[in-house]
Amino acid sequence: MILGHYAVALAAKRAEPRTSLGTLVFAAQLLDELWPVMLLLGLEHVRIVPGLMAASPFDFVDYPITHSLLAAVGWALLVAAVSYAVRRDRKASVILGVAVLSHWLLDVPMHRPDLQLWPGSSIRVGFGLWSSVPATVVIEFGLFACGLALYLRGTRAKDRVGSWGLWAFAAVLVAIFASGFFSPAPPSEQAVGWTTLLLWVFIPWTAWVDRHRTEVAASEEAAPATRAAPGATA
Ligand SMILES: [Zn+2]
């Protein structure tokens, strides 16, 4: 899953407006942000099998440090604990932790049964929806549209960075998602690692966009006619 994880971050901004969208993106995508690091360090492994699943050529041989349930819980607790130590904000810390854990829960429907419950566990879960392109597209776009709509309703662009920067982020993300269906499978595990590292770019990008948007007060939200249209300079 790609878009769905960003949908969680966009939606979480609604529940936690004081936390940067960049921080929420970091949390919701943490497992996939760490995965290429583990691949390049040789600690986790993937095989590229073109045609393995309609929407994914990846045979996740082992990824217990980033994608076992126990590890996901551990990363979630770590992120929540660090957040609490830095900000002393219980609600923000809980939301960041839940965002981290949401990644694993959203991966379960898409992946083949290759997600371990704990490192070394013989129990592997996954419903394999990646075997269906229509199901993948509907779920990913459905989640992303909901997340984006919530973010757009809860914030307003202060300037062009806040509006066009957001749409550029959405366009690039959708392009990456769509390219998966048309581009040839990556040549090697190393190539997958290096290209997936680019996910880290979205953290400062969304943080930058978020700084150029302002929270919409609930009273204003009730009267959407007064809101600036997307693309407006507010
Ligand atoms: Zn993942």
Side-chain angles (χ1 to χ4, degrees):
M1 173 162 287
I2 301 170
L3 303 180
H5 298 307
Y6 292 93
V8 168
L10 289 161
K13 177 73 185 183
R14 199 58 192 279
E16 181 44 44
R18 290 162 306 163
T19 296
S20 166
L21 180 63
T23 310
L24 294 164
V25 162
F26 164 76
Q29 262 295 51
L30 181 62
L31 305 189
D32 280 4
E33 286 150 3
L34 292 175
W35 180 62
V37 178
M38 299 301 163
L39 281 185
L40 293 169
L41 290 174
L43 297 172
E44 298 191 337
H45 301 91
V46 67
R47 276 193 321 139
I48 297 144
V49 185
L52 180 70
M53 299 179 86
S56 166
F58 298 126
D59 176 10
F60 299 100
V61 180
D62 64 79
Y63 51 172
I65 307 168
T66 59
H67 278 76
S68 68
L69 174 58
L70 185 66
V73 170
W75 290 116
L77 290 174
L78 179 65
V79 166
V82 170
S83 163
Y84 189 72
V86 173
R87 293 174 59 192
R88 298 279 155 196
D89 184 329
R90 192 172 301 172
K91 183 185 164 206
S93 306
V94 168
I95 286 177
L96 284 171
V98 169
V100 173
L101 190 58
S102 77
H103 184 107
W104 192 87
L105 298 173
L106 284 178
D107 273 357
V108 168
M110 313 311 289
H111 287 226
R112 297 193 309 156
D114 55 24
L115 292 154
Q116 291 178 303
L117 296 190
W118 60 87
S121 155
S122 58
I123 306 167
R124 292 169 183 258
V125 296
F127 303 145
L129 283 177
W130 268 337
S131 57
S132 163
V133 170
T136 300
V137 169
V138 166
I139 290 169
E140 291 266 23
F141 274 113
L143 286 173
F144 193 58
C146 290
L148 199 54
L150 281 169
Y151 183 72
L152 285 168
R153 242 181 112 73
T155 63
R156 182 201 303 134
K158 290 193 271 192
D159 53 28
R160 287 179 193 278
V161 172
S163 53
W164 293 112
L166 177 68
W167 291 108
F169 158 70
V172 168
L173 211 53
V174 168
I176 290 172
F177 170 66
S179 72
F181 298 112
F182 304 109
S183 52
S188 68
E189 187 178 278
Q190 292 281 312
V192 175
W194 287 113
T195 48
T196 311
L197 272 183
L198 290 173
L199 290 180
W200 287 87
V201 170
F202 291 124
I203 299 168
W205 186 340
T206 49
W208 180 51
V209 165
D210 202 50
R211 275 200 303 277
H212 290 261
R213 298 183 69 88
T214 185
E215 191 186 348
V216 175
S219 54
E220 263 182 277
E221 231 181 274
T226 61
R227 287 171 58 220
T233 50

